[in-house]
Amino acid sequence: MRYLLSDIATICGGRLLGRDIEVGSVVTDSRSYAVTEDTLFVAMRGVNHDAHDFVEQMVGRGVRAFMTEREVEVPPQAGVVVVDSALTALQRLAAHRRQQFRGKVVGIAGSNGKTVVKEWIAQSVPHDVRLFRSPRSYNSQLGVALSLMMMPDGCDVAIIEAGISQPDEMRRLEQMIRPDVVIFTSIGDAHQENFDSVQQKVDEKLLLASSADTIIYHSDYKALAGSVEARYGDRSLVDAAQMPRPQMKDVASVRNAQEVAAFCCAMGYPMGDALSLQPVAMRLEVKQGINGSLLLDDSYNADINSLSIALDYLRSVAGERRKVVILSDILQSAMSDKMLYGAVARMVEDAGVDMFIGVGAKISASRREFSDDARFFDSTEQLLRHIGDMELSQAAILVKGNRAAQIERVSHRLELKSHTTVLEVNLQAMARNINYFRSHIGGDTKLVAMVKASGYGAGDAEIAQMLQAQGISYLAVAFADEGVELREHGITMPIVVLNADEESFDVMASASLEPEIYSMRSLEAFLRAVNGYGAHNYPVHLKFDTGMHRLGFNEAEVPALLARLDECADRLRVASLFTHLCVADDPSQDDFTREQIARFERISLSVADHLPYKVLRHAAASAAMLRFPEARFDMCRLGLGLYGFGYEHNDNLEMVSTLRTRIVQIRTLDAGETVGYGRSGVLSRRSRIATIPVGYADGLDRHLGCGRWSMMVGGCPAPTVGRICMDSCMIDVTDVEGVVEGDEVAIFSPMRGNTAEDMARVLDTIPYEVLTSVAKRVKRIYINE
């Protein structure tokens, strides 16, 4: 895209102030490194942030073109387009960009499968087709607008995802996309909570095809197909169910592949590749690498727009680590190789990458575009022969490439080999949970996030890095050692230690950790540590007992506490006052909770009024945040809600953790045979029994054996058979069609009936215990959609 600010002002209905500058890209996140002299920074106001606060910072980074929702001060050489709504303005600009585009635009909508179909189309179209596809999760009102403005001139086909979660959203998306071809994938329960019925949601999605010539759908989705045929019978309709059936095990994959084949037929492309599709890496995965490295695996996705997003993410998680990028040739670009790899080289330099490694004939031929110390290899095989000679220890390594290059072999070489069983943690789902709670408590209320017990089993440093990027005010850990480990991983934000004891006070002071002080004894002990370090105004957090009767000052101790705080005012500063509500998740005991809140209000006000500076007050954890607005005060503590669990089932929260493994062996046994220790698994029929490498040493409770828990294989339940062993267990896969050794097994997942909450119910315990029981030897993988 190339626009003068005066053109943008005309298109968007804005006012131009200052210079009329030509722009070629758009950035809405001030943290993005992808900023050049022709970048337009769009300042948007959200519920919890105001990007106008970062205009001065962007000026310092060389930005000279801005779109804002109010007049801002910029230097004379800059220009500003002032609009009423930045989002509306961007959507108008995107619609204008779409009108100028000369290639075919394909819109994809549906409850599930949008990204899979999009990526499979990229695998299937001929290599000489210049293809653009929207980045992974850019399917929202803002994401679609940004995607359309990314479309390069000279592209043959642009594929744009369109996602909705409530009525009246699709019309705005359709007005931007104006697709020539629409692909409708599945229809299901996703985002159903904002619609009165499935039919209402179908009708909303169908709006995407209002001006399309060709519509591709699958008649196995009855509600969707009937509506498509009734509304758009005069269009060119292609029923994917009429395509050849590929050899795939699960129904959803078969239907998605048939939709890809139908698209190829509709576009006049050969259909062969559409019937031999490879799995899609839906999300960038963060894994432990060899020699202490951190591996960012994005090895099936190589285009310049997704590279920009991946480099941003690399920078956010690298901390003090060296940043290494391994990139294969980028295929299907509308740019010349010189323009393409010149742009890549600038992006890599701007991202502060310490080592760049290019793989492939095209990128190697463009080596002059890169710094002198960049390294290039003609093939993945050649790189693998030399990778042992490179210094990659303790680095953050992004591996990104096209499927043809088989760059995933590099990821496999660099990944720390360990247990087949892994705990997968969805960081984007966690971020959405944060935003859900923020939408309830408002932008002025701060958040402290609980990352104790290794992030409730999900991991510590990786979770903390994401929370730091999300603007959380405080982290809270249980013990000083947990806080020290976070500091060693580059976490600089304030960290509160909840179980602070005398033995750890010196360690805490040396690592700038802030203690919970709950008694006069703990106050005096910490004062001695502070005196030893010669510290002044050291922040502490005072806990008050309002009915939990675990830790905390009681109300009678407040006068003595205030007198002692006055005496040591030059050494300690009270950062916050807090209490713990013990039954906020139990509606039957709301009277007691309200008594606690009132008691804390009285105690905390008396302390806050005494102190000569502002102090934060907090009482509400996840459940109280939603149930008791009066308990929110200045800050709330986000615990299990961060990980997707509420005091009752809440469709707005996403469970972030999936514990999964793979089948290592399948055997067929006759009725009457027994399975496992003690011969406790007695078969009542001829059965197929699968062995999986997870046991009680991995955190799988022994009480889940003998059919008391079912795992998911290919979307179907497979109950346990016999006792849970230390390192393995057996499951019955007789009723799972097409299952083979190597297939994935979800031990627990966000799928209903298979969640950690469901498992806790079977064990008569709470999700905390299930999550924190996952053993350290189970590898953690962090995914970013």
Side-chain angles (χ1 to χ4, degrees), residues 180-184 206 208-219 224-243 258-259 261-263 265-267:
D180 302 296
V181 180
V182 169
I183 303 172
F184 290 116
L206 290 187
L208 182 62
S210 297
S211 61
D213 300 317
T214 303
I215 301 170
I216 298 166
Y217 67 103
H218 203 294
S219 58
L224 181 64
S227 296
V228 169
E229 293 163 1
R231 181 179 297 192
Y232 298 121
D234 59 334
R235 312 288 178 85
S236 175
L237 302 184
V238 183
D239 181 3
Q242 305 304 315
M243 295 295 112
Q258 288 178 308
E259 298 226 30
F263 170 80
C265 287
M267 297 293 289

Side-chain angles (χ1 to χ4, degrees), residues 124-263:
S124 303
V125 301
H127 290 307
D128 60 351
V129 173
R130 293 167 297 181
L131 179 75
F132 168 82
R133 59 196 191 274
S134 55
R136 281 191 181 91
S137 56
Y138 278 41
N139 61 16
S140 65
Q141 297 292 318
L142 174 59
V144 167
L146 294 175
S147 295
L148 289 167
M149 286 185 285
M150 291 177 188
M151 295 188 304
D153 293 325
C155 236
D156 299 313
V157 178
I159 307 176
I160 309 294
E161 278 189 48
I164 60 169
S165 58
Q166 56 189 6
D168 301 324
E169 288 187 327
M170 187 61 84
R171 189 174 299 280
R172 283 177 287 163
L173 297 183
E174 192 278 335
Q175 289 170 351
M176 287 187 282
I177 302 170
R178 293 290 179 183
D180 302 296
V181 180
V182 169
I183 303 172
F184 290 116
T185 60
S186 68
I187 188 71
D189 293 334
H191 304 296
Q192 184 61 47
E193 62 273 9
N194 294 319
F195 293 92
D196 296 333
S197 65
V198 171
Q199 188 59 51
Q200 184 191 21
K201 184 166 63 174
V202 168
D203 292 342
E204 178 75 15
K205 291 181 185 295
L206 290 187
L207 292 174
L208 182 62
S210 297
S211 61
D213 300 317
T214 303
I215 301 170
I216 298 166
Y217 67 103
H218 203 294
S219 58
D220 283 1
Y221 298 112
K222 303 298 184 185
L224 181 64
S227 296
V228 169
E229 293 163 1
R231 181 179 297 192
Y232 298 121
D234 59 334
R235 312 288 178 85
S236 175
L237 302 184
V238 183
D239 181 3
Q242 305 304 315
M243 295 295 112
R245 184 181 177 89
Q247 296 299 311
M248 294 177 171
K249 284 180 292 188
D250 66 284
V251 172
S253 292
V254 169
R255 293 173 180 173
N256 289 338
Q258 288 178 308
E259 298 226 30
V260 174
F263 170 80

Side-chain angles (χ1 to χ4, degrees), residues 78 269 451 475 500 503 505 541 653 710:
Y269 301 146
V451 293
L475 299 178
E503 299 299 322
F505 282 162
H541 302 261
L653 294 176
S710 289

Side-chain angles (χ1 to χ4, degrees), residues 442-694:
D444 295 333
T445 305
K446 299 179 184 296
L447 281 174
V448 53
M450 300 293 174
V451 293
K452 60 183 181 178
S454 198
Y456 293 75
D460 35 40
E462 295 81 6
I463 302 297
Q465 285 165 342
M466 185 278 293
L467 295 170
Q468 185 165 272
Q470 286 290 321
I472 297 294
S473 298
Y474 284 89
L475 299 178
V477 297
F479 300 104
D481 289 347
E482 295 173 323
V484 170
E485 186 171 352
L486 292 178
R487 290 283 185 247
E488 290 174 349
H489 281 87
I491 303 301
T492 58
M493 62 188 295
I495 300 173
V496 181
V497 180
L498 299 176
N499 288 27
D501 59 80
E502 294 182 34
E503 299 299 322
S504 64
F505 282 162
D506 286 336
V507 172
M508 290 177 59
S510 66
S512 299
L513 304 176
E514 303 177 14
E516 167 193 307
I517 300 296
Y518 49 84
S519 67
M520 296 301 292
R521 177 187 173 90
S522 66
L523 177 63
E524 296 299 336
F526 190 71
L527 271 171
R528 288 193 292 272
V530 168
N531 289 335
Y533 275 84
H536 294 277
N537 294 315
Y538 200 103
V540 297
H541 302 261
L542 303 181
K543 185 171 187 178
F544 296 91
D545 180 12
T546 59
M548 178 80 168
H549 300 325
R550 184 172 61 182
L551 291 173
F553 292 96
N554 60 47
E555 192 167 5
E557 295 176 291
V558 169
L561 171 63
L562 293 178
R564 190 67 180 106
L565 289 174
D566 289 341
E567 294 170 357
C568 59
D570 61 328
R571 286 168 291 167
L572 297 183
R573 176 180 61 83
V574 179
S576 79
L577 312 171
F578 71 106
T579 192
H580 196 102
L581 306 177
C582 54
V583 285
D585 59 345
D586 184 353
S588 69
Q589 301 197 59
D590 283 356
D591 288 344
F592 185 84
T593 299
R594 292 190 179 95
E595 288 176 13
Q596 279 196 272
I597 296 169
R599 191 173 297 124
F600 177 67
E601 170 84 11
R602 183 172 64 249
I603 295 172
S604 61
L605 273 180
S606 67
V607 177
D609 289 344
H610 182 85
L611 296 172
Y613 46 80
K614 180 174 174 54
V615 60
L616 297 173
R617 298 187 294 159
H618 52 107
S622 301
M625 256 189 274
L626 303 179
R627 302 193 64 240
F628 296 96
E630 68 271 27
R632 293 170 187 164
F633 295 102
D634 307 300
M635 186 160 66
C636 295
R637 300 189 297 274
L638 193 49
L640 205 56
L642 180 64
Y643 304 90
F645 299 92
Y647 72 97
E648 60 182 21
H649 182 74
N650 188 330
D651 287 330
N652 295 296
L653 294 176
E654 299 179 49
M655 297 180 191
V656 305
S657 297
T658 297
L659 183 62
R660 57 179 172 83
T661 189
R662 292 191 179 275
I663 295 172
V664 295
Q665 188 176 29
I666 297 176
R667 57 169 55 83
T668 301
L669 300 173
D670 291 329
E673 293 276 12
T674 59
V675 178
Y677 284 117
R679 303 186 67 197
S680 54
V682 182
L683 302 180
S684 60
R685 60 175 178 171
R686 184 173 172 81
S687 305
R688 297 189 76 207
I689 303 301
T691 300
I692 56 175
V694 60

